[in-house]
Amino acid sequence: MEKLSSRERQIVVDDTMVIDLASHYHDALTHKIGLIKKAVRCRRMISFQYYSENGESQRRIEAYRLIFKWSSWYVFGYCHSRNDYRLFKLNRLWDLSVLEEHFVPREIPEKRLDFDAYFSSHTIRLKAIFTETERHRLIEEYGRDSYVPCESGGLLFEWDFASYQNMRQWILSFGDQVRVLEPEELRADIRRQSENILQRYRET
């Protein structure tokens, strides 16, 4: 098993700054990064089980890049299951194997190397009112200009999300400290989840 050293997990910018890229489960993540680095260098195919909001699937890809973006690691490659370039989040990728099969590197179109496009091809607008107690989180995650104080109290927040599931999970992490105004799909989703939670606790 190839592992990243502590030096590889950290970027020393200068004598005053160190960026630590280790996650809370860095052993599993380090193992994945080590295997993918090996595959990229040796031009060998990789296979893995991938879990997404659409379900789980087995993938075989030609790995071309390891990418650290928005606090998460991704592998970029050509997916033989979809016959197209894809970006896969390492946190959702398991049972990773480097195969004996080699591949001939493709000429990657320049536009497919614009990794921002993989996150912003379709966005969903969130509009919500947060309590004052959550001001610090909004500032920490989206900046001081991400909200507007309401005359009736609370903080009006509007933002475009690339993933409904990411938006949903983020909103649910605030519990009862937020009221969603839009989209209606998320409002209905939260109502259903709240009713399910109440029902489970009534049963016990």
Side-chain angles (χ1 to χ4, degrees):
M1 180 177 74
E2 182 175 342
K3 284 193 172 185
L4 292 180
S5 66
S6 59
R7 174 72 178 181
E8 289 178 295
R9 290 198 299 264
Q10 295 181 339
I11 299 174
V12 180
V13 179
D14 56 32
D15 292 339
T16 64
M17 184 183 299
V18 174
I19 301 173
D20 191 343
L21 301 180
S23 71
H24 62 280
Y25 69 120
H26 66 81
D27 286 343
L29 187 59
T30 297
H31 180 50
K32 295 174 188 177
I33 291 173
L35 289 177
I36 294 171
K37 283 177 62 180
K38 176 181 178 181
V40 172
R41 286 197 305 263
C42 300
R43 301 302 186 192
R44 287 167 60 181
M45 300 283 294
I46 63 173
S47 70
F48 50 85
Q49 196 75 10
Y50 196 67
Y51 299 84
S52 71
E53 55 264 31
N54 298 320
E56 67 179 82
S57 58
Q58 185 69 29
R59 301 297 183 97
R60 286 173 61 253
I61 76 166
E62 303 166 9
Y64 290 105
R65 301 279 196 286
L66 270 167
I67 300 158
F68 185 78
K69 188 173 182 64
W70 292 352
S71 75
S72 295
W73 282 98
Y74 298 84
V75 57
F76 169 76
Y78 188 85
C79 177
H80 283 220
S81 302
R82 300 294 185 266
N83 294 319
D84 199 2
Y85 295 98
R86 288 289 190 271
L87 203 62
F88 298 96
K89 193 172 187 177
L90 265 58
N91 286 0
R92 297 179 176 181
L93 180 161
W94 294 91
D95 300 326
L96 172 65
S97 297
V98 178
L99 306 178
E100 293 298 325
E101 180 182 358
H102 288 78
F103 64 88
V104 178
R106 299 170 189 265
E107 190 70 33
I108 305 173
E110 190 67 28
K111 65 179 182 179
R112 304 315 299 270
L113 294 173
D114 177 11
F115 300 118
D116 285 336
Y118 292 87
F119 297 93
S120 58
S121 57
H122 174 67
T123 59
I124 305 169
R125 188 72 171 179
L126 171 67
K127 186 175 181 181
I129 296 178
F130 291 81
T131 62
E132 286 283 348
T133 60
E134 306 310 307
R135 182 190 296 267
H136 68 287
R137 273 194 64 182
L138 297 181
I139 291 174
E140 177 184 347
E141 298 178 37
Y142 291 96
R144 289 191 300 178
D145 297 329
S146 64
Y147 63 86
V148 176
C150 301
E151 291 184 4
S152 57
L155 308 170
L156 176 62
F157 175 88
E158 295 188 60
W159 204 267
D160 291 325
F161 284 77
S163 165
Y164 176 79
Q165 289 300 325
N166 288 346
M167 175 180 66
R168 177 180 179 274
Q169 291 171 10
W170 185 70
I171 280 293
L172 290 175
S173 72
F174 288 91
D176 61 356
Q177 301 304 303
V178 59
R179 179 165 61 91
V180 173
L181 304 178
E182 299 175 7
E184 182 56 38
E185 177 186 4
L186 181 57
R187 287 169 55 86
D189 202 349
I190 293 172
R191 283 194 292 268
R192 283 194 299 271
Q193 178 155 332
S194 300
E195 290 166 2
N196 290 339
I197 291 172
L198 284 172
Q199 184 60 34
R200 288 185 181 181
Y201 277 95
R202 289 192 187 104
E203 293 172 351
T204 57

